[in-house]
Amino acid sequence: FFFFRKNITMKTPESVLKKQATQAKIAEDRDAAKKAADDKAAKDVDVWKAKAQKYEEEYAAAEKSATDSRRQAKAQGGFFVPAEPKVALVIRIRGTIGVSPKAKKVMRLFRLRQLHNASFVRLNEATIRMLRLIEPYVTYGYPSRQTIEKLIYKRGFAKLNKQRIPIAENSVIEEGLGSLGITCAADLIHEIVTVGDNFKAANNFLWPFKLNSPKGGFSRKTKLLHFMEGGEAGARGEEINKLVKKMI
């Protein structure tokens, strides 16, 4: 006697079919999201390049205008008076010992809580008075555009969700300031340099810069003296750029 076995096809369980469909949908969504992200990144790069180019042209035009005005004033036998600086860079050069309560409060307002911390301050009548109050403990001056760029590119950290996040990508800036139209490093630098309408938000977004002790250090004999007396403290105008170069 011969027995013939029938080919029995096993039906795939419903749970397996559902799982396969779910996995296929997840993979499809992931691919679509990746493509959208790649497209957005490519568009963002073009936008950022265009912004950087526009700002460079704006800076060049401003420098050319100042140079032409200076030459014209000289040719007419007069003097060219440049516009008053709008922003200062303040660096704390002394610790907490012997600091008066008022000075301590002002330094907290300027977010200078540690030695060699630095931050940008918008210059007006009130902030100038506060700077004079804390002159024995800080040094400050007028940063150039190159100095602001170096600080943000080399020592820039963002304050996101009360955390200190390095500004390694423009996405960090976009997350914190995108609602204000500041989406890249060029936007952030331009806002600080020109002291724009969103300067306060941009400045608060930046974590206070943590600088090194300057190469060669401060002299013990002159550190407590005012800069005009050969020391380190107080206002030093554009000489702040040389000091920052030593401390980055």
Side-chain angles (χ1 to χ4, degrees):
F1 297 97
F2 296 95
F3 297 94
F4 297 95
R5 293 184 62 186
K6 291 183 179 180
N7 290 329
I8 301 172
T9 304
M10 295 292 292
K11 189 178 180 181
T12 307
E14 190 70 24
S15 61
V16 175
L17 292 174
K18 284 184 178 179
K19 185 176 181 181
Q20 288 174 348
T22 303
Q23 288 176 338
K25 189 175 184 308
I26 290 172
E28 185 182 342
D29 292 344
R30 184 173 61 242
D31 293 341
K34 185 177 183 303
K35 186 177 184 304
D38 291 342
D39 292 343
K40 182 181 182 300
K43 288 179 182 177
D44 285 346
V45 168
D46 294 337
V47 171
W48 295 335
K49 284 182 179 178
K51 283 184 175 182
Q53 181 66 29
K54 184 185 80 170
Y55 293 145
E56 284 296 329
E57 291 172 359
E58 183 182 325
Y59 299 142
E63 288 177 10
K64 185 177 184 302
S65 175
T67 302
D68 292 345
S69 299
R70 192 178 294 109
R71 286 173 179 169
Q72 185 180 358
K74 188 176 180 181
Q76 295 174 354
F79 295 96
F80 171 68
V81 180
E84 289 289 323
K86 297 180 181 178
V87 64
L89 178 68
V90 188
I91 304 174
R92 183 167 181 168
I93 60 171
R94 283 180 63 183
T96 57
I97 299 174
V99 180
S100 67
K102 277 189 179 179
K104 200 175 286 186
K105 186 174 182 181
V106 171
M107 284 194 280
R108 275 204 298 269
L109 284 173
F110 289 159
R111 302 182 299 157
L112 303 173
R113 295 178 177 270
Q114 296 176 331
L115 187 65
H116 299 152
N117 272 10
S119 66
F120 297 115
V121 174
R122 186 205 302 260
L123 289 175
N124 53 41
E125 189 178 345
T127 54
I128 289 171
R129 279 205 305 266
M130 287 192 281
L131 284 171
R132 286 175 182 159
L133 182 67
I134 60 172
E135 272 191 352
Y137 315 105
V138 302
T139 184
Y140 61 93
Y142 315 127
S144 64
R145 177 169 58 89
Q146 290 76 13
T147 297
I148 293 173
E149 285 178 354
K150 281 182 182 177
L151 283 169
I152 291 175
Y153 284 135
K154 292 187 176 183
R155 293 300 177 99
F157 282 80
K159 187 178 183 181
L160 283 177
N161 301 321
K162 298 182 179 180
Q163 292 182 321
R164 186 170 180 259
I165 309 294
I167 304 177
E169 296 178 345
N170 284 330
S171 58
V172 176
I173 299 172
E174 188 171 8
E175 183 182 347
L177 299 171
S179 60
L180 301 174
I182 301 173
T183 58
C184 61
D187 284 337
L188 182 59
I189 291 167
H190 182 262
E191 195 66 27
I192 298 295
V193 170
T194 60
V195 190
D197 296 336
N198 298 314
F199 174 84
K200 185 177 180 180
N203 194 28
N204 288 337
F205 169 77
L206 287 169
W207 200 280
F209 301 103
K210 294 187 176 184
L211 304 180
N212 296 325
S213 179
K215 292 176 183 175
F218 291 121
S219 170
R220 286 186 178 182
K221 293 180 180 178
T222 61
K223 184 176 180 179
L224 304 182
L225 295 176
H226 194 280
F227 182 74
M228 300 301 291
E229 299 173 343
E232 303 294 344
R236 58 173 66 208
E238 294 181 356
E239 291 296 313
I240 195 74
N241 298 297
K242 294 180 181 177
L243 178 63
V244 171
K245 194 174 180 181
K246 293 179 182 178
M247 298 180 76
I248 288 181

